[in-house]
Amino acid sequence: ASGNSTAAALNHFSEIHTIELGQDAYTQARRKFMPFKHIQVHWGDSANVLMQILPQLNKKKFLWLDAHY
C-alpha cells in the first residue's frame, strides 16, 4: 500500500497502471502519484480491473503482479 513498486518503476515506463484493493490504499496512491501524469491509479480487485484496462492498452505490456494484503 505504500507504492514502493510503482515509485521504483516510474522513471522506467511511459505508462503505469497500479491497482489498489482497499479504499485507503487507493486514496493514498492517488495522492502520492498525482504529480505523475503517466501513472493511472485504479481501485478494485485486480482480476476485474485488469479485464477492463488490458483491452485499452495498445502498447507492449509488462505486468508486475505485486499482490499482498
Side-chain angles (χ1 to χ4, degrees):
S2 63
N4 290 337
S5 298
T6 301
L10 69 87
N11 292 322
H12 301 285
F13 297 95
S14 61
E15 184 176 354
I16 297 173
H17 295 262
T18 183
I19 304 167
E20 298 296 342
L21 181 60
Q23 184 175 7
D24 291 340
Y26 166 77
T27 302
Q28 181 182 12
R30 289 239 349 173
R31 191 175 310 120
K32 182 175 186 173
F33 297 115
M34 190 176 294
F36 303 97
K37 301 302 178 195
H38 69 297
I39 299 177
Q40 299 288 323
V41 181
H42 305 272
W43 178 24
D45 185 288
S46 59
N48 297 324
V49 176
L50 281 172
M51 295 296 287
Q52 295 172 6
I53 64 174
L54 282 177
Q56 301 172 21
L57 304 177
N58 298 321
K59 301 175 186 176
K60 290 183 180 179
K61 300 158 191 71
F62 175 79
L63 300 178
W64 180 331
L65 302 176
D66 185 16
H68 47 85
Y69 190 70

